[in-house]
Amino acid sequence: QVHLVESGGGSVQSGGSLRLSCAASGFTYSSYCMGWHRQAPGKKREGVAVIDSAGSTTYADSVKGRFTISRDNAKRTLYLQMNSLEPEDTAIYYCAAAFSCAAAANTVFIYWGQGTQVTVSS
């Protein structure tokens, strides 16, 4: 059975940092495209960052230069290092897995975690 379990969320002040983790099990993690997404209250879910099986990364413009996605295949864990956090980053953050990364926003994610709350206060 597939499981994606996020952790590391919390409350920080503007300018602070958090590191999210996502522990994966039940599928061949190392060969999957992995991504972080977020959904703020009253807004649509949006993609934040994606990393393919070779380690190539893509970021949303809103987080470029502030967030870093990485993966540890030996530990079957996905990470999102978030620096210089802003109130606009407040959302539930989800990790997700896809068979492969596609261009732009066309990646089809098939497995999702339950999410972890990130709250940034000004």
Side-chain angles (χ1 to χ4, degrees):
Q1 189 172 3
V2 172
H3 289 287
L4 292 172
V5 181
E6 302 95 336
S7 61
S11 297
V12 296
Q13 290 191 327
S14 183
S17 298
L18 283 173
R19 188 194 195 201
L20 306 183
S21 298
C22 173
S25 62
F27 62 103
T28 312
Y29 172 79
S30 60
S31 67
Y32 276 64
C33 170
M34 299 298 297
W36 286 99
H37 306 256
R38 66 186 181 186
Q39 187 166 20
K43 295 188 178 181
K44 291 176 58 178
R45 187 174 60 198
E46 63 174 349
V48 173
V50 171
I51 184 167
D52 69 13
S53 58
S56 296
T57 58
T58 305
Y59 296 92
D61 288 343
S62 59
V63 306
K64 280 180 181 177
R66 300 188 299 122
F67 290 11
T68 302
I69 188 172
S70 62
R71 64 191 300 163
D72 185 328
N73 289 337
K75 294 182 178 180
R76 301 173 61 86
T77 302
L78 180 72
Y79 301 100
L80 185 67
Q81 178 66 45
M82 305 186 294
N83 298 329
S84 302
L85 283 162
E86 304 167 351
E88 294 72 24
D89 297 316
T90 295
I92 299 174
Y93 283 71
Y94 301 89
C95 74
F99 288 127
S100 62
C101 292
N106 296 326
T107 300
V108 178
F109 289 91
I110 57 172
Y111 303 133
W112 291 84
Q114 83 289 346
T116 186
Q117 177 70 48
V118 171
T119 302
V120 185
S121 57
S122 57

